[in-house]
Amino acid sequence: MLKNQDYERLLHEIKNAVCVISCSLQLIERSHPEVSDYAFWQDTTSDLTSLRTLLVDVSNTQLSSHPKKESVNLEAFLNEVKSACPAAGTSGHPLVIDIEKGLTEGYFDPARIQHALLKILDNAFDALYEDGVVLLRVYSRENGIVFQIRDNGRGIAKDALPQIFQPFFGSKSGKSGLGLPISKGIVESHGGTLTIESELAKGTTITIFLPVD
């Protein structure tokens, strides 16, 4: 039976092979720009990008166990999250951050919680209408801290909500379908909870509660 390190080694080899293919395609296009006009060239490069995204998300499933908790300056942490969120700077939609007055520190694994938040934010921006907004609220609750992401986008059908955390459910082109399951695993590895509320054409709210140990 394969052990965890065997899977990690196998995944590493696949990622290397995909990287070589990607570099080769880039070199071909640079030397022969006309290939971009060929049928299926764009589909090929797009599929390769999707494969790389999938491999990254699969490798990040290890983030859902054994968090390294530490005291975190929330203002600095949230600034890093905003800077690391591509859609916050390129989508034309604002990311509004609202942190409770006087709340300055949290206790969690910053790298893993940032990863979880970025996956959720990516989904939130992707769901927005033309005049959409994403709100990230951070506030204290008894024995813990809450990160709440709310958008006023397309929303999720009620009958789809029970399946939303299943791997690959509703995956779109360029996305792995693993973002929410990974985020939920990261939060639960902290002893926390991740819940979702949504209504079609009105938006979605995801609430993360992280207990203070």
Side-chain angles (χ1 to χ4, degrees), residues 156-178:
I156 303 167
K158 188 175 181 179
D159 59 354
L161 284 175
Q163 307 170 68
I164 202 69
F165 294 111
Q166 293 181 8
F168 309 112
F169 176 77
S171 58
K172 300 179 181 179
S173 176
K175 298 183 182 296
S176 68
L178 294 173

Side-chain angles (χ1 to χ4, degrees), residues 66-155:
H66 309 302
K68 297 178 181 179
K69 298 182 182 181
E70 61 184 72
S71 181
V72 179
N73 180 289
L74 289 174
E75 182 179 0
F77 172 74
L78 292 170
N79 285 336
E80 288 181 10
V81 169
K82 189 171 185 177
S83 297
C85 181
T90 61
S91 68
H93 301 288
L95 170 59
V96 179
I97 296 179
D98 178 22
I99 183 168
E100 177 184 311
K101 186 176 181 180
L103 182 60
T104 59
E105 289 194 344
Y107 187 70
F108 50 84
D109 185 321
R112 299 181 187 195
I113 294 301
Q114 176 174 308
H115 184 84
L117 290 174
L118 289 174
K119 287 296 180 183
I120 296 168
L121 287 169
D122 183 54
N123 288 341
F125 277 103
D126 192 50
L128 293 179
Y129 295 114
E130 186 175 346
D131 59 347
V133 176
V134 176
L135 172 65
L136 170 55
R137 293 182 60 221
V138 185
Y139 56 94
S140 58
R141 206 167 81 187
E142 185 177 3
N143 299 321
I145 187 172
V146 174
F147 293 89
Q148 187 177 79
I149 300 97
R150 178 180 299 171
D151 68 71
N152 58 350
R154 293 188 296 272

Side-chain angles (χ1 to χ4, degrees), residues 173-206:
S173 176
K175 298 183 182 296
S176 68
L178 294 173
L180 281 178
I182 290 174
S183 297
K184 192 170 189 289
I186 290 172
V187 172
E188 291 179 346
S189 74
H190 281 71
T193 59
L194 189 156
T195 58
I196 182 168
E197 300 175 62
S198 189
E199 188 173 349
L200 281 176
K202 290 191 176 181
T204 300
T205 299
I206 292 182

